[in-house]
């Protein structure tokens, strides 16, 4: 395979990566707290020492660099549960995994477990500023509310504060596949920085029209690549045929 074939192959791989990201975004159109992904590509230029013409000494390829998240807020979706919260602005709620590690989520569904711990619907305990579970005495569970600064109120008493963690570099977050992220180097916001809206959750920020448009563009670009591959193949065929006649 010559350089043109490798270039077209790298182009096709980039388009496949873009399509995978678009498909994942569309699949999470209704996932609470989901942030749309955007693929990032880099150009890799290979330089040859010699070529038939100077312009052919450099060959440009497409490299899949990483995916970033669109951190714009999704729409507020009322749930009727006063404990459900939406984070306004950046940040994630910390949850405790079965192995004791901490994961992060934007899905603000909040429930009270039988043992009094605040948790997600999947039973993952929510964590406070110190990385500890927030436990509510049984006699106070019917009086719970969550303030804008994350304080968990049982009537007039503060029983804990939901930790909201921000990451200066979002590439430190890795999706785990259950609407949570594994992350490192996060910073817990203070009460004055935290902004929660109770009574509902954040919807996905995926825009169906935008993703559908991206899908159409990718399909057209892929078809263009196929046409170019066929043209290059036909050109090689004609060149070989002519060389055979000369021989």
């Amino acid at each position: 395979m010559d350089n043109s074939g490798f270039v077209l192959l790298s182009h096709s791989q980039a388009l496949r990566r873009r399509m995978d990201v678009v498909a994942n975004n569309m699949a999470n159109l209704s996932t609470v707290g989901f942030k749309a992904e955007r693929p990032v590509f880099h150009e890799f230029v290979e330089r040859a020492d010699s070529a038939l013409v100077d312009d052919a000494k450099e060959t440009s390829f497409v490299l899949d660099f990483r995916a970033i998240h669109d951190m714009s807020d999704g729409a507020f979706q009322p749930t009727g549960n006063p404990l459900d919260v939406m984070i306004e602005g950046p940040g994630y709620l910390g949850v405790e995994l079965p192995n004791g590690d901490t994961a992060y989520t934007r899905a603000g569904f909040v429930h009270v477990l039988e043992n009094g711990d605040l948790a997600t619907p999947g039973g993952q305990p929510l964590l406070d500023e110190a990385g500890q579970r927030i436990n509510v005495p049984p006699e106070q569970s019917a009086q719970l509310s969550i303030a804008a600064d994350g304080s968990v109120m049982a009537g007039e008493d503060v029983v804990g504060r939901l930790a909201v963690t921000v990451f200066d570099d979002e590439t430190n977050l890795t999706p785990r596949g259950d609407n949570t992220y594994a992350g490192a180097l996060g910073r817990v916001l203070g009460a004055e920085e935290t902004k929660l809206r109770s009574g509902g959750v954040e919807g996905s920020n995926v825009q169906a029209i935008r993703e559908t448009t991206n899908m159409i563009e990718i399909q057209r670009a892929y078809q263009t690549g196929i046409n170019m591959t066929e043209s290059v193949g036909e050109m090689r065929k004609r060149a070989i045929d002519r060389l055979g006649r000369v021989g």
Side-chain angles (χ1 to χ4, degrees):
M1 186 183 296
D2 59 19
N3 282 348
S4 62
F6 285 116
V7 170
L8 289 170
L9 179 59
S10 74
H11 178 254
S12 296
Q13 290 176 326
L15 291 175
R16 178 176 179 178
R17 170 62 171 153
R18 286 185 61 194
M19 183 62 81
D20 288 343
V21 170
V22 169
N24 184 59
N25 287 342
M26 292 292 284
N28 287 280
L29 186 62
S30 301
T31 300
V32 170
F34 181 81
K35 298 299 183 183
E37 286 188 324
R38 306 287 175 230
V40 177
F41 299 99
H42 275 188
E43 179 185 24
F44 174 74
V45 180
E46 184 179 78
R47 293 177 174 82
D49 295 331
S50 61
L52 294 177
V53 294
D54 289 340
D55 289 345
K57 288 184 179 180
E58 294 186 353
T59 305
S60 178
F61 298 92
V62 182
L63 292 182
D64 182 4
F65 182 57
R66 67 186 184 195
I68 60 174
H69 294 94
D70 177 359
M71 295 309 299
S72 60
D73 288 349
F76 180 74
Q77 297 181 348
T79 62
N81 178 9
L83 296 183
D84 289 342
V85 293
M86 169 182 169
I87 301 172
E88 295 185 323
Y92 299 82
L93 299 174
V95 299
E96 183 180 308
L97 299 176
N99 63 0
D101 291 342
T102 300
Y104 302 92
T105 183
R106 293 277 300 190
F109 291 115
V110 180
H111 294 259
V112 182
L113 300 179
E114 291 184 1
N115 64 1
D117 288 342
L118 296 188
T120 67
Q124 299 167 322
L126 290 157
L127 302 178
D128 63 11
E129 301 162 286
Q132 303 298 313
R133 299 183 181 186
I134 300 173
N135 190 269
V136 180
E139 65 275 10
Q140 295 181 311
S141 60
Q143 311 171 46
L144 287 182
S145 62
I146 298 177
D149 66 355
S151 297
V152 180
M153 310 294 296
E156 299 297 325
D157 299 327
V158 179
V159 297
R161 195 175 80 85
L162 290 173
V164 176
T165 303
V166 295
F167 296 83
D168 294 330
D169 185 357
E170 290 287 337
T171 61
N172 289 325
L173 292 172
T174 304
R176 298 182 63 255
D178 58 352
N179 208 14
T180 65
Y181 299 86
L185 305 177
R187 175 176 65 88
V188 177
L189 295 178
E192 69 284 354
E193 300 175 279
T194 301
K195 294 181 180 180
L196 297 182
R197 183 177 178 183
S198 60
V201 293
E202 178 187 22
S204 170
N205 71 349
V206 174
Q207 300 177 28
I209 294 178
R210 177 176 181 177
E211 300 302 333
T212 301
T213 301
N214 288 340
M215 189 175 295
I216 294 172
E217 290 178 351
I218 294 168
Q219 290 174 330
R220 289 176 176 172
Y222 187 74
Q223 186 59 52
T224 299
I226 291 177
N227 294 339
M228 291 179 65
T229 300
E230 292 175 349
S231 297
V232 170
E234 185 63 29
M235 185 171 60
R236 290 198 196 99
K237 182 179 178 181
R238 289 198 302 268
I240 293 172
D241 183 58
R242 291 179 181 177
L243 287 173
R245 292 177 184 177
V246 172

